[in-house]
Amino acid sequence: MGSFIARALQIVAMCGVVALGGFVWRQSTENSFIEACVFGMIALSVFAVGAGFADAKVAGRGSTMLTLEPPAESGLNAAEQRFAADLAVIVKLLQAHVTANAGYSESLARANVDLPQLNTSDEIRAVVLTLIEENRKIQTKMDELSASLDESVNKIEKLRSNLADANDKAMRDSLTGLGNRRFFDEELDLSLKDADALCLLMCDLDRFKAINDKFGHAVGDMVLKQFADILAAAARRDDFAARLGGEEFAIVMPGISPIEAARLAEQIRRQLEGKKWMLGSGAALGKVTASFGVARRRAGDSAADLFKRADAALYRAKSDGRNRVFADLDA
């Protein structure tokens, strides 16, 4: 990105030199020395820009993939501050280049005024040499700007990736990889604003405490992970699966009827019930089941209203004997 900006500015500078050369040539077509100086000045500019693009291509081929650093322990705020600081550096670099380019433009303007008034070859040579030196200086500044911009852009890309990574981690359950409660709350609020038809599916692993007590928390974590995988695989493209805490999970389901949502919940229930669980020792874990509650959105529902009814449906499924689906179909 930095190289592209700098090379574009080089082209602008070259065009200025070429235009000035054309003007002088028209003014002095009978003087072979002036013609030679003008063509030399144009050739020098073209060569400088061409060399710059060649350098940029070589540098591009030699670039490597970025290794992303982990987000700072201080979280999003620190990363955002570093992001803003590097943006400020880029602004300063661009301001410095604008100043340098303005000086070069002034040199071209002075030459444009002076050249038609010059009479001797020494005077013309002096102006041409001045322009060549100014062109060299602006080329050097452009190269420095390009290098600085490339460095700053790379830093910003790393920070942007770190910010995205930190934000993703803040919205993910570290054990299962599903969305966490914060993710669930935000997606439910957004879905209530965007979707007319909406269902909320809530589920809870049956007698999960007994699994932890009998086999230990490592086995319990394995069960949670694999149940989360089943939920994630069953969720449709527009659904949002989340772990609310402990053994309780939910899926926000936009654009679906309660009958279809209940049918999907039943598929998940059967898949979990039929799963064969084996421990590392070869011992069987036994059957693992879950209970499911489904509620549909009603007109005027808030997130809390829909959540309360889905939770009540889940409680009804458990109180009716567990390992079943209960759908709140009331309009």
Side-chain angles (χ1 to χ4, degrees):
M1 176 181 173
S3 298
F4 177 78
I5 295 172
R7 302 308 168 195
L9 292 172
Q10 284 179 302
I11 293 175
V12 174
M14 185 196 76
C15 291
V17 173
V18 171
L20 178 60
F23 174 78
V24 175
W25 185 46
R26 287 197 306 271
Q27 299 295 322
S28 311
T29 52
E30 296 180 358
N31 190 319
S32 59
F33 174 76
I34 295 177
E35 287 184 277
C37 289
V38 169
F39 281 117
M41 180 171 62
I42 294 172
L44 180 63
S45 297
V46 173
F47 173 78
V49 174
F53 276 110
D55 290 343
K57 290 179 181 178
V58 170
R61 287 196 295 267
S63 62
T64 57
M65 293 295 290
L66 291 176
T67 301
L68 300 182
E69 300 173 353
E73 293 182 0
S74 54
L76 289 174
N77 288 339
E80 288 169 351
Q81 290 171 5
R82 292 196 301 273
F83 189 85
D86 277 315
L87 282 177
V89 169
I90 285 186
V91 170
K92 289 181 180 178
L93 287 171
L94 291 174
Q95 288 173 338
H97 176 72
V98 168
T99 301
N101 197 51
Y104 184 59
S105 298
E106 290 176 5
S107 297
L108 291 176
R110 285 196 301 271
N112 187 42
V113 173
D114 293 344
L115 276 172
Q117 302 174 10
L118 302 179
N119 298 316
T120 68
S121 60
D122 289 339
E123 292 174 331
I124 295 173
R125 182 185 294 109
V127 172
V128 171
L129 290 175
T130 298
L131 288 175
I132 291 173
E133 176 62 17
E134 291 292 331
N135 189 64
R136 184 193 65 78
K137 290 179 180 178
I138 199 67
Q139 172 71 36
T140 300
K141 289 185 179 294
M142 285 183 183
D143 290 342
E144 292 173 352
L145 173 70
S146 177
S148 297
L149 283 175
D150 285 340
E151 181 181 357
S152 294
V153 167
N154 286 339
K155 283 184 179 180
I156 285 179
E157 178 59 24
K158 290 171 70 175
L159 285 171
R160 184 198 63 77
S161 298
N162 286 345
L163 277 171
D165 186 46
N167 186 64
D168 184 67
K169 287 184 177 180
M171 302 287 278
R172 293 280 165 194
D173 174 59
S174 59
L175 177 64
T176 65
L178 296 182
N180 58 18
R181 182 57 188 261
R182 175 183 169 189
F183 169 88
F184 168 80
D185 289 340
E186 291 189 7
E187 292 301 336
L188 182 57
D189 284 338
L190 289 173
S191 297
L192 282 169
K193 294 176 182 177
D194 297 339
D196 292 330
L198 176 68
C199 287
L200 177 58
L201 184 158
M202 293 182 63
C203 49
D204 188 278
L205 289 168
D206 297 327
R207 299 185 173 91
F208 180 72
K209 185 178 182 299
I211 296 175
N212 274 337
D213 292 344
K214 183 176 181 178
F215 299 100
H217 288 282
V219 173
D221 287 349
M222 180 266 291
V223 171
L224 290 171
K225 289 178 184 178
Q226 295 201 25
F227 182 51
D229 290 343
I230 293 173
L231 292 176
R236 303 167 308 149
R237 185 181 63 180
D238 295 330
D239 294 343
F240 303 99
R243 181 188 178 197
L244 303 185
E247 64 271 27
E248 190 172 26
F249 296 80
I251 304 179
V252 180
M253 310 176 75
I256 191 172
S257 71
I259 298 297
E260 292 171 327
R263 186 179 296 119
L264 180 61
E266 178 62 19
Q267 291 174 2
I268 297 171
R269 188 199 66 77
R270 290 182 180 180
Q271 185 177 354
L272 177 65
E273 183 183 32
K275 184 175 178 60
K276 304 299 182 182
W277 300 85
M278 299 298 295
L279 303 181
S281 61
L285 177 62
K287 184 183 293 186
V288 177
T289 64
S291 301
F292 298 80
V294 175
R296 67 188 299 177
R297 174 189 184 172
R298 296 175 183 171
D301 263 354
S302 66
D305 295 332
L306 181 56
F307 184 90
K308 183 177 180 179
R309 285 205 316 281
D311 192 48
L314 173 60
Y315 179 80
R316 176 69 180 272
K318 283 191 168 292
S319 62
D320 284 353
R322 296 185 175 87
N323 190 26
R324 65 192 62 220
V325 177
F326 184 85
D328 179 3
L329 301 179
D330 292 341

